[in-house]
Amino acid sequence: MNKPIRKAAVIGSGIMGSGIAAQLANAGISCLLLDIVPQRLSDAEMAAGLTLDHPFVRNRLATSAIAGLSKTKPAPLYDNAFAERITPGNLEDHLHLIADVDWVIEVVVENLAIKQQLLAQVERHWKPGTIVSSNTSGISINAMAEGRSEEFGRHFLGTHFFNPPRYMKLLEIIPGQSTDPELVQGLSRFCEQKLGKTVVLAKDTPNFIANRIGTYGLLVTLREMAEKGYTVEEVDAVTGPAMGRPKSATFRTLDLVGLDTFLHVADNVYANVSDEAEKQVFAAPSSLKDMVSRGWLGEKSGQGFYRKIKGEKGSEILSLNLQTMEYAPQRKVTSASLEAAKLAKGAAAKTKALLGTQDRYSQLAWDVLKQVLIYSAAKLGEIADNIREIDEAMKWGFNWELGPFETWDAIGLVRTVEKMEAEGLTVPAWVKDWIAEGNTSFYKKDGGSLFQAAVGGYAPVALPPEQISLRDLKAQNRVVRSNSGASLIDLGDGVACLEFHSPNNAIGADILQMILQSMDEVRDNFEGLVIANQGRNFCVGANLMLLLMEAQDEEWDEIDDIIRLFQNTMYRLKRFEKPVIAAPHRMTLGGGVEACMPADQVIAAAETYYGLVEVGVGLIPAGGGCKELALRASQQAMLAEADLQPYINHYFQTVGTATVSSSGHDAKRLGLLKSTDRVVLNPDQLIYEAKQAVLKLAGSGYEPIPETKFRVVGSEGKAVLQLGALGMHEGGYISDHDLLIANKLAHVLAGGDVPAGTLVTEQYMLDLEREAFLSLCGEPKTQQRMQHMLSKGKPLRN
């Protein structure tokens, strides 16, 4: 692949096609979205006097799909404005436009004949060198390419995106027998770097990797359930987080996928494999056929294995009894093995605990797991060339925390193989040979490098240079300083990384002390600092439990000291003489945002949910958040030569409603990220990109940001903000306590009771923040909100 991909065409505007087009638009790629021409007018079109020849009618399917992107939940677009990058069209009038694109993606119905017919049309307009791929979940790529020219075949392959394309990280790339290997390599790298995908290379076999093994596992589970008499809720209790799998487990997953869709996927394997034993596993269970015939397809039809009803006590979810085909209230499922798994930390420990406590549910877990592990090993070489491809496919396609071979290592390879054989199961010969050679695991770590089982011994797992693992660096003794809350890690090339690792990465005194110590270390020995971690979330805010305890004990001086330490640390970080880059991801809330604000630049993951949410616990931002937004508003107004009040109004509303961005791009729209901040689609490359940004700043003669005074709206602007809050209160939208918080927030963002246009210092604004924060900590209703958040995990409206 010699040229970059800047323009694409997606053919098929259904849920999957429009979702792929949206992800291309998210990546900044202009996209043509094509579909068939409607055969009849809609009622609205008839009422408007349109005809079938009208361009609006002819493009209706694609146009409607694009319009629907802003209404779909979860949102396919990082920012609704990105829909402008997608141009609607139809196959009769606009197919010739594919001659001007770099990549054509076919996303029509899963029917081989229809796909072949469409590809023949595509080739008539195809420009040599353009990539053409089919988004199929299991149809043969080679069969699709039959009848196409040799040159077309070299540029044709399968690209199996998982739904929804924005959120599902897996992309299976399936080369055909004629596909140019360089094109495969180039497209894989593009999809990893620009689309944020984890790419696995699959063989052209039925259902490829993830759907082949995932479907097998679901069918095996259904068979064990039928034979042993387990209930729907029992199976889901075992096959969810207790096994390192998603909360949707087995039956919620099937309801989400759609039972008709699942049967189609299973039938595809049944019809295309020759081994009779394997064929029987993929034979659709009669219970599933019965449910589909009744129209019980899962979530899209309102009922499947689960059904939500509204009763006197609100909504209730019922589960299906497959013996009677009737719904009944769910029963709580518990046992020694499930409780042991719940107490264990991490997927490996949970699975070992689940299997290690012998009871009925432990047996179900083993009976399912042993078959999936053996099947995965048996398919090596047929569906993928190495175990890593299979593990990655299952982790990112089905959201398993551990792939099959990682799971096997976790529960003990040698011991479990002995147990399988003792139970009469046939373990693939290559696994037994591997153990006979003296190996006790499929993977091994050596000096931070990962190796996987391969012919002739362990082979290194090649990771892209853009993928930096903090865990691996720590294994290589690259920790410079550390305490209970954070560590400073040497990234190499003169750049250090400050990693939070407190519970939930909540900011307390330990993290603040490590920030100060890190500045001392970086000042003497490094070029600059990255603030990043690879936890589930970047940071959920300050240590709320500590604040609540101090407030309940009326230790106001202690709270004042905590806030002063936070403010002073952030202020020093902002004025630090070496470049600082913050790299947040996923949940970045409250103090987490305030820890990013002092950085010279924020490089955020696309999936970053960013917001100052303190009002949800009865407080206001006091770690510099209000000060930074007031400063930012002043700078924006000055740059635009505009009135300052609208900018302050915007931030007052954003903070006052505890608005959290739906993406990194949405955080820029909200003004929580600056226009100079960047968004990276692949979270695995986030720390690498932040490191490069540090080096760029350091190499250009970095100078710290000087402090300057800035304008505030003062008492007049404060009155405007408070009037708006009063209107919300009188309209019944906010409570008395909400109004109190809003008035405190207005006082701080406006710069207090000074005249409009007064120039203030950052320290002046920090003092206002701290005073307001302390006064709110003393409010009983704020303490109630804090307690409720800690115990229930959601805001209290009081």
Side-chain angles (χ1 to χ4, degrees), residues 557-584:
D557 287 343
E558 290 293 331
I559 295 177
D560 187 68
D561 287 344
I562 292 169
I563 301 306
R564 282 181 187 274
L565 177 60
F566 199 150
Q567 290 182 340
N568 292 340
T569 302
M570 295 305 112
Y571 183 85
R572 287 183 59 184
L573 190 63
K574 183 174 182 178
R575 303 284 175 250
F576 187 47
E577 52 264 60
K578 297 289 182 75
V580 177
I581 303 294

Side-chain angles (χ1 to χ4, degrees), residues 262-329:
F262 177 75
L263 284 184
H264 172 78
V265 173
D267 288 344
N268 188 52
V269 181
Y270 181 84
N272 288 287
V273 296
S274 55
D275 181 83
E276 280 303 316
E278 183 177 11
K279 208 175 185 71
Q280 287 311 306
V281 174
F282 285 91
S286 58
S287 57
L288 256 64
K289 289 183 177 179
D290 185 12
M291 292 175 69
V292 171
S293 69
R294 294 170 184 243
W296 299 356
L297 307 180
E299 190 168 271
K300 60 187 173 185
S301 67
Q303 65 187 99
F305 288 101
Y306 293 101
R307 179 184 177 190
K308 181 184 282 190
I309 63 168
K310 288 186 177 181
E312 294 179 0
K313 298 180 180 179
S315 294
E316 182 182 9
I317 298 177
L318 309 179
S319 61
L320 181 65
N321 183 323
L322 288 175
Q323 304 301 318
T324 64
M325 297 303 283
E326 294 178 348
Y327 290 93

Side-chain angles (χ1 to χ4, degrees), residues 722-752:
Q722 291 180 329
L723 185 61
L726 184 62
M728 293 287 288
H729 180 258
E730 291 178 349
Y733 295 105
I734 62 175
S735 68
D736 291 347
H737 193 53
D738 290 327
L739 181 60
L740 173 67
I741 299 165
N743 285 332
K744 296 280 188 183
L745 178 63
H747 179 74
V748 176
L749 285 175

Side-chain angles (χ1 to χ4, degrees), residues 157-178:
L157 72 169
T159 48
H160 180 205
F161 288 84
F162 279 64
N163 193 35
R166 168 182 165 179
Y167 300 94
M168 294 299 289
K169 201 178 174 193
L170 180 65
L171 172 61
E172 291 179 325
I173 287 187
I174 311 99
Q177 58 190 14
S178 303

Side-chain angles (χ1 to χ4, degrees), residues 330-351:
Q330 297 181 71
R331 292 189 299 110
K332 183 175 176 58
V333 179
T334 186
S335 75
S337 62
L338 292 172
E339 289 303 312
K342 190 181 296 183
L343 293 172
K345 301 294 184 183
K350 285 181 181 295
T351 307

